[in-house]
Amino acid sequence: MNTVYSSIKGLGFYVPDNIVTNDDLTQYMDTSDAWIQERTGIKQRRYFTYGKDTNASMATAASRMALDRAGLETSAVDLIVYATITPDYYFPGSAFLMQRELGLEGIGVIDIRNQCSGFVYALSIADQFIKTGMYKTILVVGSEIQSSLLNKSNEGRGVAVIFGDGAGAAVLQATTDPEHRVLSTHLHADGRYAEDLYIRDPGSSREGQWLTEATLGEGNYNVTMNGNAVFKHAVVRFMEVINESLTANGYQPDDLSLLVPHQANIRISGYVQQQMNLPDEKVFNNIQKYGNTTAASIPIALTEAFEQGRIKPGDLVCLAAFGSGFTWASALIKW
């Protein structure tokens, strides 16, 4: 009996039409294009259009592209694993809404909340289901609408300039080919630092109603970030989890064809690249165009890297992420 593995058969992404440049943000806060680029590497990002874009509609568009590129009908999908921290509803999750848009009623859906590591976590879940033989074709999705959660003022500018909206998707399918597959995934978390990057409200563990004039006045529905702590942990965990995936499969950093990191901050990616002695052609960054799109970041970047010919059959590709939780994860793929 042949061993079953999982392989990425198609990729897709969607970003809203609304381009927001650094200069555009100067309308709301005391900042500048130079200030933002120096600290983050970001030149522009996309914001959703109300009445047109939803978290689920963006994910649907990305998924349709991925399925088309995989040469598959929508009906081939057995399961959806959907990563987001910005669902359309408090409940049910956006996976249900995307399932409805795709006309896939009846198949299982899994919503996960693993922040910037969400797509890699989702990929790992899908990989396990396929290797056990339970499912053959799984949609793995990351989608975020974050622009509506940002405090676009001087008080919130350290966070507001970073994040954007978008969605990405991958079709994972069963294969018996050991030369072209997901080699391994590695998942980690440390809840001791949960409040270093979080949104406090709305939360269920409150006295009385979740949202009142008092809670709204406290501003706890905006993103709060301890930037220094996030940076210090990120640069360490990124390298740890990348090296973990390489060691687990008997490779060295030099063997990598391409590293696709979560697009958190160009300074983080640059530091990791320098420490691992990777040339520019082995690291893919597109944060300049889209900002940090959290769970959508890696699938958007992976899709663009593939479109640009940066990924070819036989290449060794590493996906790596770090984010709120804290959470960090990697996946090593033989393309």
Side-chain angles (χ1 to χ4, degrees):
M1 184 175 177
N2 291 327
T3 302
V4 177
Y5 308 103
S6 68
S7 178
I8 294 177
K9 296 298 185 182
L11 295 164
F13 80 105
Y14 172 92
V15 289
D17 296 329
N18 184 19
I19 298 173
V20 179
T21 66
N22 293 341
D23 288 334
D24 291 332
L25 294 180
T26 63
Q27 302 173 55
Y28 312 107
M29 63 192 81
D30 181 15
T31 189
S32 69
D33 177 62
W35 187 88
I36 296 170
Q37 286 202 51
E38 179 185 347
R39 286 159 178 79
T40 67
I42 300 166
K43 298 179 181 180
Q44 62 185 43
R45 72 286 294 144
R46 303 295 181 100
Y47 283 179
F48 86 115
T49 300
Y50 179 74
K52 176 186 177 184
D53 299 313
T54 67
N55 189 301
S57 74
M58 296 194 309
T60 300
S63 296
R64 290 191 190 282
M65 179 186 290
L67 285 164
D68 182 63
R69 289 176 170 178
L72 294 172
E73 296 294 327
T74 306
S75 58
V77 177
D78 301 317
L79 179 73
I80 296 168
V81 187
Y82 194 119
T84 186
I85 57 169
T86 56
D88 294 303
Y89 303 145
Y90 193 84
F91 69 86
S94 290
F96 295 86
L97 309 183
M98 189 187 83
Q99 182 213 48
R100 181 171 65 189
E101 290 198 34
L102 288 173
L104 287 171
E105 292 80 4
I107 71 166
V109 301
I110 300 173
D111 277 278
I112 66 168
R113 294 170 60 98
N114 289 87
Q115 299 70 252
C116 297
S117 299
F119 182 80
V120 182
Y121 266 74
L123 184 73
S124 181
I125 292 167
D127 180 49
Q128 309 312 313
F129 273 123
I130 286 175
K131 288 192 294 190
T132 65
M134 188 169 182
Y135 298 110
K136 292 183 178 179
T137 305
I138 301 177
L139 263 178
V140 184
V141 180
S143 182
E144 306 286 4
I145 290 180
Q146 301 175 120
S147 57
S148 55
L149 302 175
L150 302 174
N151 178 1
K152 303 182 187 75
S153 70
N154 286 342
E155 180 186 19
R157 68 177 179 176
V159 172
V161 301
I162 297 172
F163 293 96
D165 306 338
V171 177
L172 212 63
Q173 197 165 49
T175 180
T176 56
D177 183 357
E179 299 300 319
H180 304 282
R181 62 185 177 94
V182 176
L183 297 175
S184 63
T185 57
H186 308 269
L187 312 179
H188 299 279
D190 191 340
R192 292 177 297 170
Y193 305 99
E195 287 77 23
D196 279 341
L197 179 51
Y198 81 129
I199 295 179
R200 186 175 187 273
D201 290 320
S204 60
S205 54
R206 308 285 184 271
E207 184 179 8
Q209 292 181 310
W210 294 351
L211 288 178
T212 64
E213 288 186 12
T215 58
L216 288 172
E218 291 171 357
N220 290 329
Y221 52 88
N222 294 131
V223 180
T224 299
M225 180 172 68
N226 181 343
N228 288 334
V230 172
F231 184 90
K232 289 176 181 178
H233 282 268
V235 293
V236 172
R237 298 307 192 184
F238 258 112
M239 287 187 291
E240 283 182 356
V241 81
I242 294 167
N243 284 320
E244 180 183 6
S245 68
L246 291 170
T247 301
N249 294 281
Y251 291 108
Q252 300 293 325
D254 288 347
D255 296 318
L256 271 179
S257 304
L258 191 67
L259 170 65
V260 182
H262 161 57
Q263 304 295 296
N265 186 310
I266 200 69
R267 292 193 301 153
I268 295 174
S269 297
Y271 183 86
V272 172
Q273 177 181 347
Q274 181 183 39
Q275 293 298 305
M276 299 192 70
N277 198 29
L278 295 173
D280 290 345
E281 61 268 20
K282 288 193 173 187
V283 182
F284 188 84
N285 289 299
N286 64 357
I287 192 171
Q288 302 89 339
K289 296 193 294 181
Y290 304 122
N292 181 338
T293 55
T294 305
S297 161
I298 285 179
I300 291 174
L302 189 62
T303 304
E304 286 206 328
F306 183 80
E307 290 175 344
Q308 294 173 22
R310 300 280 296 274
I311 302 174
K312 301 175 290 296
D315 280 355
L316 188 67
V317 179
C318 184
L319 315 180
F322 175 89
S324 167
F326 285 149
T327 175
W328 59 102
S330 66
L332 196 64
I333 303 164
K334 195 68 178 296
W335 211 263

